[in-house]
Amino acid sequence: MTAPGRRSSTFSRLLRHGFTDPSAAERLLESRELTAVRNDPVLLEALGATADPDLALHGLVRLLEAQPDRELLDTVIAAKPLRDRLLGVLGASSALAEHLARHAGDWQALVTYEPRDLHPGVEEFERGLAEATDPVALRVAYRRCLLSIAARDVCGTTDVAQTAAELADLATATLRAALAIARAAAPDDAALCRLAVIAMGKCGGHELNYVSDVDVIFVAEAVEGADEGKALRSATKLASHMMRICSETTVEGSIWPVDANLRPEGRNGPLVRTLSSHLAYYQRWAKTWEFQALLKARPVAGDIELGEEYVAALEPLVWKAAERENFVTDVQKMRRRVVENIPVAEIERELKLGPGGLRDVEFAVQLLQLVHGRADASLRSGTTLDALQALAAGGYVGRDDAVQLDDAYRFLRSMEHRIQLYRLRRTHLVPEDEADQRRIGRSLGLRTDPVAELNREWKRHTSVVRRLHEKLFYRPLLDAVAQLAPGEARLSPEAARERLVALGYADPAAALRHLEALASGVTRKAAIQRTLLPVLLGWFADSADPDAGLLNFRKVSDALGKTPWYLRLLRDEGAAAENLARVLSAGRLAPDLLMRAPEAVALLGDSDGGLEPRDRAALEQEILAAVRRADGAEQAVTAARGVRRRELFRTAAADIVGSYGTETQPAEADQGALVDRVGGAVSDLNAATLAGTLRAVVRDTWGDTLPTRFAVIGMGRFGGHELGYGSDADVLFVHEPRNGVPEQSASEAANKVVSEMRRLLQIPSADPPLLIDADLRPEGKSGPLVRTLKSYEAYYRRWSLVWEAQALLRAEVVAGDEDLGLRFIELIDPLRYPAEGLGDDAVREIRRLKARMESERLPRGADPKLHTKLGPGGLSDVEWVVQLMQLRHGWAEPGLRTTRTREALAAACAAGLIAGEDSAILDEAWVLATRVRNAVMLVRGRAGDTFPTDPRELAAVGRYLGYGPGHVGDMLDDYRRTARRARAVVETLFYGA
C-alpha cells in the first residue's frame, strides 16, 4: 500500500513513459479488462512509444470492453507487430479508436503482416470493399481499410508519399464501389451510358490526405444505339448518386465529399458532359488554372477506356497552355497567395495556404511543368514529389534546392496527415492547444521536447519553402548563364527563354544577356548578385514591366557595383533589395531620377530615416547651406536642384513602396494619406528650392541685401500643398522697395531676380527642371511679372474679377520675405473670403466660367469620362465645388480658410454645408484622380491627365493603384463609376440641379 502523500511506483513509471495524466492512467490500468497485464512492462513500453500514451490506453480499454473474450489482449501481449500497429493507431487517432470500439472485430485487419500487406494497391483495397453493397457497409469497410493505412503510417512502415498514394488508391477503390452501388440501384440508367470518373487534384495526383475533398470530373457517352440526351441524363443520375453515397452522413458518418466543381463552367455547368463537349470547352473557353488542374487528371472508375480517351484528347491542350495569349497574366494572378479569405488570426497556422505552405510548393512545381513539360515528357507526372525529382534531374530546378524542398514538403505533409488523422476531419490548421501539438510532435519522432521541437521544425521548413519558392524559378536561369558548376544539368537556352516568357519577360534574349552580365564571374560583386537575383527577379516579375526592372538593376549595378556599401546595403538591409526592385520596375520616373545619381539607392535601406519625407525647414536648411558653399549662382542652383532631384526620388520611392506594399508591410490602405504625403513632400521641396534659388540670385548680384523686399506666393496646387510629380510651380511675385530706394530701381531689381530664377531653374542638366508659372498674376500674361504690394492693392481694389478671387483661395507664402508675404495674405483675405459671401451675380459668373471651361479646354480626342482634370467628376469639378463654398461661407467658417482642398471639404462637412455622404464621394473622386495623375507621371516619366493607351503602361498604372494583373478593365470601370458619382454631387451642389 502506498503511504499517504507519496506517489506510487506505477505513477512514476507512467510519467517516465510519457503519460501526461498518470492518475487517470493508473485507474484505467486497474480496470477489469487489464487486470492480468497491468504491470506488464511490454505493455507500458508499447504505450509509451505511441504519440499519445493516455489516448492509446483509453482507446485500448474501450476496445477490450467491447471484446467477447481475451483473444485480443493475449494477441497484443504476444505479437509485437499487432501491438505496435494497434496501439500506434489508438495513440494517434481518437476517430479510429471510436470506430474500433463500435466494430469490435475490425482489429483483425491489423493482424496480418505479410509482404503483400505492406504496400497494398487498388486491387487489395477493392477486395477489402467487395462485400459492401450499401452506403453504411461501405463506410465501415472504408474505415477498416483506413485502419491498415494509418497503422503502416504511424509505425513508419510507409513514408508520407507512400501513405498519400495508398490513400489515393483507397479513394479509387471507394469510388468504384460507390459507382457499383449506384449502377445496381439503377440498372436501366447504367445500360444506357458509358460513364468515366476522372480523378483530379490530390486524388488524381496520387497524393491524397486522410480527409480531403475528392475532386472528380465526369465524362459520358451513349452506348451504341442509345439516344445521347437520355444517356447523359442517365449518366448524371448515376454520377449524382455516386457522389451522395460517398458524401452523405449516415449512422457511420461520411467518407469524404466528392467535389465536381473543377468541371467546365464549375458548379454552373452540367455535371456530366460528352468527350466532344469537354474538348470544345477546353479549346474555346478554359482558363489557365483549368489546364493547371488537368495536370493531375487520371481515370479511376467507370469506363476506364473512355477515361483514357478523355486524358489523351486533352493532354495536348495542357502542354500548350504556356503558349496562350493570357498565360503570363494568368500566372501572375495564380502566383498571388490566396490568403485574403484566411482570418488574420489563422494565417500563421495555415499549413496549406499560409506563407511557406504546401500550396507554394505545389504551385511552383505545376508552373514549371506547364512551362517545360511541352518539350520534355519526363516532367508530366501528376505527383508533386515525382515531378520535383524530374525537374531536378532535367536541370529545371537546382538539385540542392529540390532536395530541400522535397524535405520541407514531406515534413509539412506529415504534419497535415497527423493533424487530420486525430479526428478524421478536414483541416489544414496547426492546433493551438499544447496537448495537440505534443501528440503531433511525438508522432513525428520528436520526443525530447515535442512542442518546442515541432514548432522549431515547422518554422524552419516553412522558412525554407518561402526562401526557395522564388529561387526555384530563377536560380536555374542564373546557372544557365553563369555556368559555374560544370557537369551539372542545366537549362538549355530555349528552356531559359521559355521560362522568362512565362514569368512576364517580353524580351527574354535581352533578359538573359543582363543576367549573364550580372551573374558571371568569380568576383565578390557577381557572387552577391547571384544570391540576390533569384529574389529580385521574382519581385520584377510581380510588376507590370519586369524587363525594365532587370535593365534598370543592371544600370544601377554597373554604376555602383564596385562600391562596397552598395552590395552590403542590398545584402544586409532587410528592406533595401525589395524596395529597389519595386522602384526599378514601377515605371520610368523613379529609375530616371536614380540613374542621375545612383548613390541615392542608400535611401532605400531601413536606417537613417530611409524613405520618410523631410520637412520644409530641414530641406531649406540643407539647400541654403549648399548655396552658401557654392561659387556663383549657377553652381548654387545646381546644388539646390541636386537636392531636389534626390528628394523627388525619395518621395517617388516611398510612394511606390507604399502603393505596392512589401512582403512584410502591406500596401497603404489609406489612399488619401498617400496623396497628401506626395503633395506635401513635393510642395515643401519646391518651396525650399525656390528659397535657395532666390538666395543664390540675390547674393550673386547684390550681396546680402536686395534693394527691395521680395516674396514668392504659391498659387494653385503649389499653395494648396497638392503638387504632383509633374506639376509646374504656380506663383505670384510681390516686392516692396526698401527705404530710400527709388521704385524704378526696386522694380528693375525684382524683375531681374525673377528672370534669373526662371533661367537658372530651367538650365538643361541631369536634374529635372522646376518650371515657374506666373500666369495667375493680375492681367495674366499681359501684366507685369512682379508688382509692388501697393500695386496689387490698387489692382484688386479697382479691377479684380471673380476668377481672381477664386484663384487667390490657394495663395500661400512659400519663399522670400515672410513679413511681406503675410501682409500680401492680409491684403487678399477680404477678396477670397468676402464679407457676407458672394453675391448672386458672382455665383452665376463662376458657374458660367466653369461651363465654358468644360466645353473649351478638354483636349481634342480625349475621352471626357477618363480625363482626371477636366472630365466629369475629375479634379476641376471637385475643386470648383469646394472653392465656391469657400467664397460663399469662408467669412463665417474659419475652417474653410485653408488652401488645401481636402481640408476645406472636411471643414464644409463639419459645418453642415455638405452632407457626409456627398463629402466622402467628392473626396474619394479627388483622391483617385490625383493618384491616377501621379501614377501616369511615375510610369511614363512625363505628366498626363488621362490613362495611358499603351497596354504595359496601363497595367503599371493599375499595379500602382492596387489592381492585379488582368484587372485593367476593373480599374477603368471603377474610375468611371467613382467619377460618375462625384459628378452627380457636383450637379447638385455647384449648378443647383
Side-chain angles (χ1 to χ4, degrees), residues 612-632:
E612 286 298 313
R614 301 171 70 202
D615 61 42
R616 183 180 299 190
L619 292 168
E620 196 167 311
Q621 183 179 12
E622 181 183 0
I623 287 175
L624 291 176
V627 168
R628 282 194 299 272
R629 292 192 299 269
D631 294 327

Side-chain angles (χ1 to χ4, degrees), residues 311-492:
V311 171
L314 293 181
E315 190 175 39
L317 300 179
V318 172
W319 303 116
K320 289 180 181 177
E323 300 171 6
R324 291 161 57 86
E325 183 180 348
N326 296 318
F327 181 74
V328 171
T329 303
D330 292 342
V331 163
Q332 288 176 322
K333 282 184 196 173
M334 290 188 292
R335 285 186 62 238
R336 298 180 193 285
R337 295 191 184 94
V338 188
V339 295
E340 298 88 54
N341 297 324
I342 306 174
V344 176
E346 294 181 359
I347 201 164
E348 291 300 320
R349 297 193 292 123
E350 253 285 349
L351 273 177
K352 182 178 180 181
L353 300 178
L358 292 162
R359 185 179 178 276
D360 277 356
V361 182
E362 292 159 358
F363 171 80
V365 169
Q366 289 164 23
L367 173 58
L368 292 174
Q369 285 181 280
L370 284 175
V371 172
H372 300 295
R374 53 182 166 169
D376 188 343
S378 71
L379 305 180
R380 299 178 183 180
S381 170
T383 307
T384 301
L385 292 177
D386 290 348
L388 180 59
Q389 187 177 3
L391 286 163
Y396 304 100
V397 171
R399 287 187 181 276
D400 290 343
D401 294 345
V403 168
Q404 290 186 64
L405 213 55
D406 182 285
D407 188 39
Y409 187 75
R410 287 174 183 274
F411 183 85
L412 296 174
R413 282 300 302 272
S414 296
M415 275 188 74
E416 183 183 47
H417 278 185
R418 296 299 193 270
I419 291 167
Q420 293 182 351
L421 180 59
Y422 178 49
R423 295 188 188 278
L424 287 182
R425 289 181 184 168
R426 183 174 180 267
T427 179
H428 307 287
L429 286 179
V430 177
E432 294 179 289
D433 184 74
E434 190 172 302
D436 289 329
Q437 292 188 13
R438 180 176 183 273
R439 183 188 62 256
I440 296 165
R442 283 174 58 91
S443 76
L444 296 174
L446 308 172
R447 297 299 174 100
T448 306
D449 186 351
V451 175
E453 290 178 71
L454 175 69
N455 281 281
R456 186 166 57 248
E457 286 297 294
W458 169 34
K459 297 304 180 188
R460 181 175 71 82
H461 285 296
T462 56
S463 175
V464 166
V465 173
R466 291 177 74 170
R467 178 170 54 81
L468 291 180
H469 182 237
E470 295 292 353
K471 193 177 169 187
L472 201 68
F473 296 106
Y474 302 107
R475 172 63 66 192
L477 291 168
L478 301 182
D479 292 341
V481 296
Q483 298 184 351
L484 294 177
E488 281 276 316
R490 60 169 56 93
L491 289 182
S492 67

Side-chain angles (χ1 to χ4, degrees), residues 142-204:
Y142 173 83
R143 290 287 174 92
R144 190 183 303 122
C145 292
L146 196 63
L147 271 171
S148 65
I149 294 176
R152 285 187 292 276
D153 180 14
V154 298
C155 291
T157 307
T158 54
D159 64 15
V160 66
Q162 292 168 326
T163 300
E166 288 185 14
L167 289 166
D169 285 340
L170 176 57
T172 296
T174 306
L175 289 171
R176 292 179 182 180
L179 183 57
I181 294 171
R183 290 171 67 90
D188 292 343
D189 287 325
L192 284 175
C193 63
R194 300 169 62 200
L195 174 64
V197 183
I198 312 297
M200 305 287 284
K202 283 189 161 52
C203 183

Side-chain angles (χ1 to χ4, degrees), residues 72-276:
L72 170 59
L73 184 59
D74 292 343
T75 310
V76 165
I77 299 301
K80 178 175 169 50
L82 172 67
R83 182 167 63 245
D84 292 344
R85 287 171 132 194
L86 177 62
L87 296 183
V89 169
L90 293 175
S93 178
S94 63
L96 288 177
E98 182 71 29
H99 171 86
L100 283 167
R102 284 201 317 275
H103 302 280
D106 276 7
W107 64 271
Q108 299 279 357
L110 304 178
V111 173
T112 53
Y113 208 76
E114 301 300 322
R116 62 186 172 84
D117 298 311
L118 295 182
H119 302 293
V122 176
E123 282 186 32
E124 286 77 15
F125 289 127
E126 283 190 289
R127 283 200 294 272
L129 303 177
E131 296 179 8
T133 56
D134 61 74
V136 173
L138 183 60
R139 279 151 178 70
V140 175
Y142 173 83
R143 290 287 174 92
R144 190 183 303 122
C145 292
L146 196 63
L147 271 171
S148 65
I149 294 176
R152 285 187 292 276
D153 180 14
V154 298
C155 291
T157 307
T158 54
D159 64 15
V160 66
Q162 292 168 326
T163 300
E166 288 185 14
L167 289 166
D169 285 340
L170 176 57
T172 296
T174 306
L175 289 171
R176 292 179 182 180
L179 183 57
I181 294 171
R183 290 171 67 90
D188 292 343
D189 287 325
L192 284 175
C193 63
R194 300 169 62 200
L195 174 64
V197 183
I198 312 297
M200 305 287 284
K202 283 189 161 52
C203 183
H206 227 70
E207 50 189 15
L208 198 60
N209 297 328
Y210 275 103
V211 188
S212 176
D213 291 357
V214 171
D215 297 309
V216 299
I217 285 178
F218 297 104
V219 58
E221 297 290 345
V223 299
E224 190 173 345
D227 176 75
E228 185 177 284
K230 288 182 179 179
L232 281 176
R233 285 193 291 274
S234 293
T236 302
K237 290 178 187 176
L238 292 172
S240 299
H241 191 190
M242 187 205 83
M243 292 173 69
R244 290 196 304 275
I245 289 169
C246 297
S247 305
E248 286 182 349
T249 302
T250 70
V251 291
E252 288 292 338
S254 67
I255 302 176
W256 19 245
V258 177
D259 189 340
N261 288 336
L262 290 177
R263 67 186 184 270
E265 301 178 73
R267 63 184 60 191
N268 297 319
L271 182 63
V272 182
R273 290 175 182 256
T274 62
L275 178 54
S276 60

Side-chain angles (χ1 to χ4, degrees), residues 6 53 101 142 145 179 226 271 330 479 745 775 800 838 917-918:
R6 294 188 63 186
Y142 173 83
C145 292
L179 183 57
L271 182 63
D330 292 342
D479 292 341
S745 300
D775 289 353
S800 176
L838 286 183
E917 183 180 357
D918 289 345

Side-chain angles (χ1 to χ4, degrees), residues 517-518 525 529 553-562 566:
L518 288 162
K525 170 187 170 185
Q529 288 179 163
F553 179 68
R554 181 178 175 184
K555 289 179 179 177
V556 173
S557 181
D558 287 347
L560 294 176
K562 294 181 180 177
Y566 165 70

